Amino acid sequence: MLVNPISETNQISAMIEWLASFGKTESGGVTRLLYTPAWKEAQQALKAKMEEEGLQTYFDSVGNLFGRLQGTENSGTILTGSHIDTVAEGGKYDGAYGIIAGFIAVTRLFRKYGAPKKTIEIVSLCEEEGSRFPLTFWGSKNICGIYNLNVAKKIQDTDGIAFLDAMRASGFDPQHYTPPVRPDVKKFVELHIEQGMVLEKNEKAIGVVTHIVGQRRYTVRIKGESNHAGTTPMQLRKDAVSAAAEFISYLTRKAKETDPRLVATVGQIDVKPNVSNVVAGEVAFSLDVRHHQSEVIEQYCEDIFAAFERDAAKMGVGVAVTKWLDAEPVELDRELAETARSIAKQQKIAFQDIVSGAGHDSQIFGPFCPTLLLFVPSQNGISHSPKEYTAIRDLETGILLLENILYKLAYE
Amino acid sequence: MLVNPISETNQISAMIEWLASFGKTESGGVTRLLYTPAWKEAQQALKAKMEEEGLQTYFDSVGNLFGRLQGTENSGTILTGSHIDTVAEGGKYDGAYGIIAGFIAVTRLFRKYGAPKKTIEIVSLCEEEGSRFPLTFWGSKNICGIYNLNVAKKIQDTDGIAFLDAMRASGFDPQHYTPPVRPDVKKFVELHIEQGMVLEKNEKAIGVVTHIVGQRRYTVRIKGESNHAGTTPMQLRKDAVSAAAEFISYLTRKAKETDPRLVATVGQIDVKPNVSNVVAGEVAFSLDVRHHQSEVIEQYCEDIFAAFERDAAKMGVGVAVTKWLDAEPVELDRELAETARSIAKQQKIAFQDIVSGAGHDSQIFGPFCPTLLLFVPSQNGISHSPKEYTAIRDLETGILLLENILYKLAYE
């Protein structure tokens, strides 16, 4: 295994810090949401860096950024990269690492070997997390022809800003939208942090992802009656907060009973009027459910929503459930996975197969073209947090593997 | 009983609408919080109206507004009024009615009988609800010498605005603060809407309040660990939202089991980071507990906080409880209550004794000077809501009774 010069290891760490400076927060994390100024600055800065290395760069009509290394043959494009957006108060590696890894691997290949046979493009996907608007994979779904402007027309963020207005304000005018589909893309390779504890526990440097879990996200809205906290007897209340508490306790318990690999999360709660001396009249909460088998998700959701309806009737409140994300489990390309394993073996990199509990752009590309997703370890499994961390040695191992894989796919 | 001319009934209804215009919201409610522009405009408008009627007006150093009808004797002051602030999205009657009733009763007495023997003052108390800052009864507690600037020094609202800055910005400079205590006040009489359903159910026009419940308000803070909603197994989570849901379900159940007249409310919840695909690391919720017996409140709180500690340990989260309001139950003046009853009998007004589940400025004045609190009915018991309503006939009955009581206290 090639030992990389210190300067190259420094390059990785410097680029991680550099990209994290766009949207840096007081707690040392990163908040870089779709179509915000920090998002735009990051994309522009990446574009400039790619151009410095001699790549052709361009944006598509939704804000995905591409850095292109033209191939000598006219035989399609090998795409590598990840997403530029973060969750609120996220870490420096989630999504960013895959873009930086692609940049470093591709520029190293270019410097060592010149132009490839097949065109290679690095992509900085505009949005994946669903952390600003109730839409996810906006970048990859547009490329794969699954989304277009229609799904975004009525969407707004929690400050009431319309999606299309935000898009326009950051320089991507909806009027100039054309579906940015890419039939030339023949393979997609993504490098990402694990965001779990398995690789670290098993002392592996690389995870070869075989499946990505299916997931559903809902908004549950409870309608009670707001009233005076002092003069309304308990038995006469239609308290949306009490009802929400009952539902949330129930769904958490039920998830644990159903399957140890099922996860169900209420991450966001919105109470109206949200004042200490007023019985709450309305509560909306988010629900995020994931498992690698559709049937398990389906049955669990059916059970809990039936229970909500029954309990709501007893409590005299109304309940309405809206689903806004529904992603099927995805199995990734077996041949590419095998390529990754054999190169890792050759390079004496410790690896294992793994299932991803997080959604990734790879699950969108998966049905569209042969796709490979590789993980590097996350310290303590922490992600979506300023404490997110991966050791530089592991970051470097991932880039080395990616470089070798891209060589095989585009130069051989 | 004097039948009031139509013009006087119109006056009440016109004043209710007029005062409600300061801080009117889209839903038809009122949001008029301490030291905001709407609050200031309302006070200035009231001041002008009082001056038109020949009253001397002045503000004390915290923003309580007084309209004074000088007595011929030098034998102290009879004070009547209520609070000018509202909850967010409150109604038009809560607090406002007591100020308007005082204004109408006093100006009628002045027009009919000239100057009283004892000085009468109408007060528009600056703050009572605790709806902007975590402080309540700021107006009455300053008058009664219970609060001064010290309690407000470190307080801020949920937008991070410091109490003293807001006070200064609305024209009440903390530098010029002097304790606005009033040893001249001999009696306090407050007219207020019931904010409950009892008078309406019993077809009574007036409630003579014998006791005001004790109440406590807490902030409960739960500290877990924010993490990825997809890759963090349920059994390894320290989910602050799940913990909050368990605590809230428990305390609601426990309140119902303890005593049918105990009320416990979680009205406000704040989740961090409050994003759908992140397990919540922190939750803070408010808890409001009320009963007319201190021992009942004490025991209930002891029990639930002990349960929170035990459950928190099991769930691997931290819990911290801070009390920020603690008001003892208050029994009001028996002689004044008897005066009200006998005048109501004379005037053939249907009345009953009642306990108040809501806090009122009367509970602050109660230990300070003989205090009388009278209720008029609330339609469907609704309050703290744009739907808050009291029939004009009931508003008028209250004013008539107040007028007669003030006559007895100040003119005889």
Side-chain angles (χ1 to χ4, degrees), chain A residues 87-89 94 129-131 194-197 201 213 215 217 225-237 239 241-242 244-253 255-256 259-280 286-288 290 324 356-359 380-387, chain B residues 87-89 94 129-131 194-197 201 213 215 217 225-237 239 241-242 244-253 255-256 259-280 286-288 290 324 356-359 380-387:
Chain A
V87 291
E89 292 292 345
D94 182 358
E129 298 278 16
S131 50
E194 180 201 341
Q195 301 173 301
M197 288 167 258
K201 282 199 150 88
V213 287
Q215 61 171 295
R217 290 196 216 171
E225 194 174 85
S226 72
N227 222 321
H228 198 286
T231 64
T232 320
M234 300 300 279
Q235 47 274 29
L236 297 183
R237 294 180 175 200
D239 184 343
V241 161
S242 299
E246 290 292 334
F247 294 173
I248 294 170
S249 297
Y250 176 76
L251 73 88
T252 305
R253 218 164 35 245
K256 293 176 184 173
D259 185 318
R261 282 176 303 179
L262 179 72
V263 285
T265 309
V266 175
Q268 187 174 14
I269 303 177
D270 189 41
V271 178
K272 283 189 164 74
N274 208 32
V275 168
S276 66
N277 57 349
V278 179
V279 176
S286 63
L287 175 61
D288 174 320
R290 310 189 196 195
W324 55 273
S356 175
N380 293 325
I382 291 173
S383 184
H384 285 185
S385 153
K387 294 191 200 161
Chain B
V87 292
E89 292 292 342
D94 182 359
E129 298 279 15
S131 49
E194 180 201 341
Q195 302 174 300
M197 291 167 254
K201 280 199 150 87
V213 286
Q215 62 170 298
R217 290 194 217 173
E225 193 174 87
S226 70
N227 223 320
H228 198 285
T231 65
T232 320
M234 301 300 278
Q235 48 274 28
L236 297 183
R237 294 180 174 200
D239 185 342
V241 161
S242 300
E246 290 292 335
F247 295 172
I248 294 169
S249 297
Y250 177 76
L251 72 89
T252 305
R253 221 164 34 245
K256 291 174 184 172
D259 184 319
R261 281 175 304 178
L262 178 72
V263 285
T265 309
V266 176
Q268 184 175 17
I269 303 178
D270 188 43
V271 178
K272 281 187 166 76
N274 206 32
V275 167
S276 66
N277 58 349
V278 179
V279 175
S286 63
L287 174 60
D288 175 320
R290 310 189 196 196
W324 55 273
S356 174
N380 292 326
I382 291 172
S383 183
H384 285 186
S385 155
K387 293 187 200 164

Side-chain angles (χ1 to χ4, degrees), chain A residues 265-309:
Chain A
T265 309
V266 175
Q268 187 174 14
I269 303 177
D270 189 41
V271 178
K272 283 189 164 74
N274 208 32
V275 168
S276 66
N277 57 349
V278 179
V279 176
E282 288 175 44
V283 171
F285 65 83
S286 63
L287 175 61
D288 174 320
V289 184
R290 310 189 196 195
H291 193 272
H292 61 284
Q293 292 168 303
S294 300
E295 324 77 75
V296 174
I297 299 179
E298 179 65 42
Q299 190 60 56
Y300 168 78
C301 291
E302 214 177 277
D303 291 346
I304 62 167
F305 296 144
F308 289 4
E309 297 255 5

